[in-house]
Amino acid sequence: MPDKDRLVVVTDYTFPSLHHEQAAAGAARFAAHQCRDAQAVATAVKGADVVLVQFAPMTRAALEGLAPGGRVIRYGVGYDNIDVKAAAGLGIEVAYVPDYCTDEVADHTATALLAGLRKLAALDASVRAGQWAAVAVCKPMRPFRDSTVGFLGLGRIGRAVMERLRPFGFSFLVFDPALSEIQVGALGASKAATTDHLFAAADALALHAPSTPATRAIVNRATLARMKPNAMIVNTARGDLIDAAALAEALANNRIAGAALDVFNSEPLPPDHVLRGAPNLQLSPHAAWYSDASIDRLQALAAEEVRRALAGEPMRTPVPIPK
């Protein structure tokens, strides 16, 4: 089919422009939308050969409307808004861009973890309140060389975080069913036999797991109760890994020492959300991915997938086919 008869659709976007995508589309027809619901998406992508989607829902109904051999490209690391099981059943290839912000998220995670363990926010608040009592604010505080950082999941970003933290002398403990004890050992870490072991041993717990039935609300009252009272949690992965009410309760009761969250079940965070009033909690507005270069990198990599799709070439980063 000539390119002029093919259709590239962007369902929604938050970028200043789409110049990378338009250039990759070449002679193909190009349409950009700001879809907010499933029906709008299904209408917009009808007959499309290539679809770029940011946050809009790609349902089975939308996927069924694509042209034969159609492909879907997700702007970003996750793909929860795409019915990948339906896509696989329909023979529709789905790609994503898991590596556009690895350094940014790793930098953000390591920064939050280090600042939390050194209690910088509490120290700042104490000085502003007229106090000058370092030990009273800091205690208890373990030196980094005597501290264990736990990783729930150790993919691309988790490994980048580990490399950033390694010079500080931490010990590392990993729970990731996809990695063997030998693989974890080769990374200079120990493998946790169970999540119970991970939660109980970590002085800081970095969440880098995908959202699955096994991981949703894995941070809950029961797992928080197993943690050390001096421990903290950092989540730059998926908001639904944490039971927010349970975490707020644990922080209020000094059950754990602190947390740093960049992702949430509801975004933007509602004004009355239980986490807004929780103590010893760093909040950021899903900003870990950002740098001045990351948006352009995301669009350029997604546009390259458009070019591959139109040329009939294999996707660079296909979404894993669900079992």
Side-chain angles (χ1 to χ4, degrees):
M1 180 186 295
D3 279 354
K4 66 182 180 60
D5 296 326
R6 306 177 82 181
L7 174 62
V8 176
V9 172
V10 179
T11 62
D12 62 307
Y13 62 99
T14 56
F15 315 120
S17 75
L18 296 172
H19 64 280
H20 286 301
E21 296 85 341
Q22 288 178 298
R29 292 176 292 144
F30 185 85
H33 303 269
Q34 290 292 6
C35 300
R36 293 290 179 261
D37 57 60
Q39 182 56 56
V41 172
T43 300
V45 304
K46 188 73 172 176
D49 296 278
V50 185
V51 174
L52 289 147
V53 57
Q54 189 172 15
F55 301 117
M58 282 295 297
T59 62
R60 171 177 283 276
L63 294 164
E64 287 175 342
L66 300 189
R71 294 187 183 182
V72 176
I73 300 155
R74 166 86 217 293
Y75 287 114
V77 178
Y79 41 87
D80 298 350
N81 57 319
I82 300 172
D83 189 339
V84 292
K85 186 173 290 187
L90 293 165
I92 295 169
E93 294 182 75
V94 181
Y96 66 139
V97 190
D99 50 354
Y100 82 97
C101 62
T102 299
D103 286 340
E104 285 83 356
V105 178
D107 291 344
H108 189 103
T109 304
T111 300
L113 188 148
L114 294 171
L117 288 179
R118 290 299 303 175
K119 301 186 179 179
L120 295 188
L123 289 166
D124 174 83
S126 72
V127 173
R128 293 176 188 279
Q131 302 170 14
W132 200 262
V135 175
V137 176
C138 289
K139 190 175 181 66
M141 179 182 284
R142 296 169 66 91
F144 289 169
R145 66 177 178 275
D146 295 335
S147 301
T148 295
V149 177
F151 289 84
L152 182 68
L154 195 70
R156 179 184 290 105
I157 292 172
R159 295 182 194 205
V161 173
M162 184 180 288
E163 288 310 304
R164 283 156 172 74
L165 296 177
R166 195 178 301 282
F168 291 93
F170 292 105
S171 297
F172 301 119
L173 184 65
V174 176
F175 182 84
D176 190 325
L179 299 176
S180 69
E181 189 169 351
I182 292 174
Q183 289 173 310
V184 171
L187 295 169
S190 300
K191 183 174 173 64
T194 64
T195 54
D196 284 353
H197 177 197
L198 181 73
F199 277 87
D203 295 289
L205 179 61
L207 305 183
H208 296 291
S211 173
T212 69
T215 61
R216 288 178 197 125
I218 194 168
V219 177
N220 53 52
R221 284 184 175 84
T223 52
L224 286 163
R226 297 186 182 100
M227 297 189 75
K228 299 176 183 180
N230 67 293
M232 72 168 296
I233 294 171
V234 180
N235 188 15
T236 54
R238 288 289 176 266
D240 64 4
L241 301 182
I242 293 178
D243 177 335
L247 177 61
E249 180 182 285
L251 291 168
N253 294 333
N254 296 314
R255 185 63 201 80
I256 63 170
L261 309 180
D262 185 60
V263 288
F264 309 90
N265 266 336
S266 299
E267 296 184 2
L269 200 64
D272 60 348
H273 198 280
V274 65
L275 289 172
R276 286 186 179 272
N280 301 316
L281 177 60
Q282 303 173 46
L283 298 174
S284 55
H286 205 143
W289 61 273
Y290 180 73
S291 75
D292 290 344
S294 62
I295 293 178
D296 188 72
R297 190 184 308 129
L298 170 61
Q299 290 186 262
L301 290 169
E304 275 299 300
E305 292 286 33
V306 172
R307 186 196 61 76
R308 291 186 187 91
L310 293 174
E313 298 173 2
M315 297 286 206
R316 181 182 74 94
T317 51
V319 166
I321 297 174
K323 297 178 180 179

